[in-house]
Amino acid sequence: MNDLVRQHTALGESDLEWLHLLVSEWQLLSDLSFADLVLWVPTRDGTRYVSVAQMRPNTGPTSYQDDMVGHLVPRGRRPLLDAALDEGRIVREGDPEWREEVPVRVESIPVRREGRVLGVIARNTNLLTVRTPSRLELSYLQSASDLAQMIAAGSFPFPGQQVDMDASPRVGDGLIRLDADGIVQYASPNALSAYHRLGLASDLVGQHLGQATDHLAPARGPVDEAMVKLASGYAPRETEVEGNGGVIQLRTIPLKPKGIRIGSLVLLRDVTELRRRERELITKDATIREIHHRVKNNLQTVAALLRLQARRMDSVRGREALNEAVRRVGSIAIVHETLSQNLDERVEFDEIADRVLAMVAEISPGKILCRRTGRFGILDAEVATPLSMVLTEILQNALEHAFEPGEEGRVDVSAVRSGDSPAKERRRTGTSGTSDTRLMITVQDDGRGLPEGFDPQRAGNLGLQIVRTLVEGELGGTFDMVPAPVRGTRVLLDIPVEPQK
């Protein structure tokens, strides 16, 4: 819609925001009207209309099989659009149109903002299934008529009341029509069932909705407004009420077709099971995070015990071996600490890599500068845990064997993800983006280099054995050590990872 409005019309950014606000709400009008809606805006030169948005009803058959967005029609071809735009009124005159042997009633609703008509909504009703309307349908149509008049008057949608249509109640979820005093005139079967879930034992019609709601689900703790007033529909609000083990989501819409409030429309949905599942997930998430936190604490305890044991050992080699074990345990603890702070089993590995660099740098025999470039990105826990150990072993090996005590040097860690193309680019190229994403890691030092005849695939060093096992076995990647181009050693890792979302 942004592109169409800016390309073809003279509307400003504030007018465009109003149209966005309208489009975020007009599923309500479409469902109440049992009709398709198409938003037409006059072009910059005033000779044509461009359709910038379209909505189909969830409550009835569509009258448009094709997508109308982007269509241009000359002024004069659709007289109802011209009349609504020029006269600023709802136009219903004219006989039904026939589209592919389907009779369609067409109406035009001007879209007004601050006294100006920005465009026209064409409301198209499929008449093929028309029958004697039920009370529910009559209530829908009356409410749709009131909303259409409010759109034509510029009083709907409500400024500052952006609605998430995916989360808000819809017409079919439950509808209640109130009069100006908040008395229920009509309640749909779904709405009545929702209130029965709260504990209502009688019919809703004739009752004051605010008082009934407050009696069934009294507010817990301080609220912005009294429940009686909120549920009576005096102002546009969205809230949840809970009582008798049930949870209902309410949305109130004051109806002011001629500037005076004549009543309210209340949309509601029973979200009891949804909230129950959400609470279960929250409990599970909290449990998982607590488990990671306790594992981290236990690993830190193990590391502390190993450190104490190392201090009591007379053997230099034994003390060094225990200190290496302390760092290995610490690298795993860092991952669990990060997981204990997240809601899912994915971590930002750059933070972990920086902490591993800092931890390993503490054993540096000289003035060694450790630096990271590039981004590891977000990784699954089953990748992050072994990768943290691999990175610890490689860095530890470089700092212990590449430099003499007191020598100055540097170790650079770089990470590059390949195949993490944006979703739009993957659609354009036809790639799935799930099997070609790889993480290339390079650890390079400017130390003494590899010894003569060194084979990284057969070296018996425990650290390198751990690296080979984790990279090739658990991570399904490749590992190699080669001489650096100028001086030192370069370690190359190529690991398959999930694409970033």
Side-chain angles (χ1 to χ4, degrees):
M1 186 168 73
N2 287 349
D3 294 340
L4 290 171
V5 169
R6 290 167 180 157
Q7 179 182 356
H8 295 285
T9 77
L11 298 182
E13 290 301 315
S14 58
D15 295 329
L16 180 57
E17 286 301 317
W18 183 262
L19 295 184
H20 274 292
L21 189 59
L22 172 67
V23 168
S24 73
E25 293 273 24
W26 70 344
Q27 179 73 64
L28 174 62
L29 178 63
S30 177
D31 290 346
L32 290 172
S33 304
F34 308 97
D36 291 73
L37 306 179
V38 180
L39 178 57
W40 296 93
V41 180
T43 56
R44 190 173 288 105
D45 58 9
T47 61
R48 296 180 296 176
Y49 297 96
V50 58
S51 58
V52 298
Q54 179 178 359
M55 179 58 65
R56 292 183 172 89
N58 293 318
T59 52
T62 182
S63 55
Y64 279 116
Q65 298 299 325
D66 299 325
D67 190 353
M68 296 296 296
V69 175
H71 279 55
L72 290 162
V73 297
R75 185 179 171 88
R77 178 175 295 180
R78 302 194 176 183
L80 297 185
L81 294 182
D82 299 338
L85 183 68
D86 297 339
E87 302 172 20
R89 65 180 179 88
I90 298 175
V91 182
R92 296 190 175 93
E93 298 88 353
D95 297 326
E97 297 180 3
W98 286 84
R99 299 175 188 165
E100 299 180 357
E101 300 183 354
V102 175
V104 177
R105 182 175 64 243
V106 181
E107 304 167 88
S108 295
I109 305 167
V111 177
R112 192 183 303 274
R113 175 180 178 267
E114 296 180 352
R116 296 165 42 242
V117 177
L118 307 182
V120 179
I121 294 176
R123 182 163 55 177
N124 304 269
T125 308
N126 188 325
L127 300 177
L128 196 62
T129 58
V130 168
R131 53 185 173 79
T132 302
S134 64
R135 189 178 177 191
L136 179 144
E137 291 167 332
L138 288 174
S139 297
Y140 278 19
L141 293 172
Q142 180 59 52
S143 301
S145 177
D146 294 335
L147 286 177
Q149 292 182 57
M150 291 170 65
I151 292 173
S155 58
F156 186 83
F158 303 109
Q161 292 288 325
Q162 186 83 25
V163 174
D164 182 1
M165 292 306 297
D166 291 332
S168 294
R170 294 176 179 259
V171 170
D173 295 327
L175 177 141
I176 297 175
R177 175 80 185 225
L178 307 178
D179 66 12
D181 297 322
I183 304 300
V184 178
Q185 295 179 313
Y186 174 77
S188 71
N190 285 346
L192 190 59
S193 297
Y195 264 81
H196 285 164
R197 187 73 175 264
L198 289 181
L200 181 71
S202 59
D203 195 3
L204 267 176
V205 175
Q207 293 199 48
H208 189 281
L209 184 65
Q211 295 175 0
T213 304
D214 186 53
H215 176 72
L216 294 169
R220 299 178 179 179
V223 292
D224 293 336
E225 296 176 271
M227 181 61 72
V228 173
K229 185 176 180 181
L230 192 148
S232 299
Y234 291 104
R237 292 288 187 272
E238 190 165 339
T239 188
E240 286 187 3
V241 295
E242 183 173 355
N244 195 41
V247 184
I248 291 179
Q249 186 179 16
L250 289 176
R251 184 189 175 200
T252 57
I253 303 169
L255 298 176
K256 304 177 181 179
K258 296 182 180 180
I260 300 175
R261 182 174 168 276
I262 64 168
S264 303
L265 196 64
V266 180
L267 303 180
L268 65 156
R269 177 172 57 181
D270 185 348
V271 293
T272 304
E273 294 304 315
L274 177 63
R275 295 295 176 260
R276 182 184 62 80
R277 288 195 295 269
E278 287 179 351
R279 289 166 184 165
E280 288 180 353
L281 288 175
I282 290 173
T283 301
K284 290 179 181 178
D285 288 339
T287 302
I288 291 172
R289 284 191 287 176
E290 178 64 20
I291 290 172
H292 284 301
H293 181 71
R294 294 190 181 189
V295 169
K296 182 263 297 184
N297 289 344
N298 290 339
L299 289 172
Q300 289 179 338
T301 301
V302 171
L305 292 173
L306 291 173
R307 196 177 293 113
L308 287 172
Q309 186 67 38
R311 291 172 183 172
R312 293 175 177 270
M313 290 198 69
D314 296 329
S315 169
V316 175
R317 292 188 63 185
R319 187 161 53 248
E320 290 178 351
L322 286 176
N323 285 330
E324 286 182 1
V326 167
R327 287 186 286 274
R328 287 164 184 153
V329 172
S331 66
I332 301 175
I334 291 173
V335 177
H336 283 283
E337 182 179 3
T338 305
L339 287 169
S340 70
Q341 300 168 0
N342 293 340
L343 292 177
D344 55 17
E345 291 291 290
R346 293 169 67 82
V347 296
E348 178 63 64
F349 196 80
D350 295 312
E351 177 186 350
I352 294 174
D354 291 340
R355 294 181 63 180
V356 168
L357 275 168
M359 178 182 69
V360 176
E362 294 177 358
I363 68 165
S364 171
K367 298 178 181 179
I368 309 301
L369 174 64
C370 296
R371 187 181 66 173
R372 173 181 65 85
T373 59
R375 291 194 69 248
F376 289 85
I378 297 175
L379 300 177
D380 291 334
E382 57 264 29
V383 174
T385 301
L387 183 58
S388 68
M389 284 197 65
V390 167
L391 192 59
T392 300
E393 295 298 331
I394 293 174
L395 290 170
Q396 188 168 286
N397 187 72
L399 294 175
E400 287 184 354
H401 301 293
F403 304 99
E404 295 289 344
E407 183 180 3
E408 294 186 0
R410 62 185 296 169
V411 177
D412 292 316
V413 178
S414 67
V416 178
R417 293 179 77 123
S418 67
D420 263 342
S421 57
K424 184 177 180 180
E425 179 66 16
R426 292 201 298 270
R427 288 195 298 269
R428 186 184 68 81
T429 57
T431 58
S432 65
T434 57
S435 60
D436 58 347
T437 305
R438 305 191 72 84
L439 178 61
M440 274 76 74
I441 304 169
T442 303
V443 181
Q444 182 170 317
D445 64 68
D446 59 355
R448 70 183 68 163
L450 295 172
E452 188 74 24
F454 179 81
D455 184 358
Q457 303 302 327
R458 295 187 178 182
N461 179 287
L462 176 60
L464 291 182
Q465 288 182 12
I466 292 174
V467 170
R468 285 198 302 268
T469 301
L470 292 178
V471 172
E472 297 173 359
E474 280 200 48
L475 297 176
T478 60
F479 157 73
D480 198 7
M481 294 179 70
V482 297
V486 178
R487 183 172 183 263
T489 304
R490 175 179 288 177
V491 179
L492 304 172
L493 302 175
D494 184 355
I495 299 169
V497 295
E498 289 292 320
Q500 296 204 74
K501 299 174 182 174

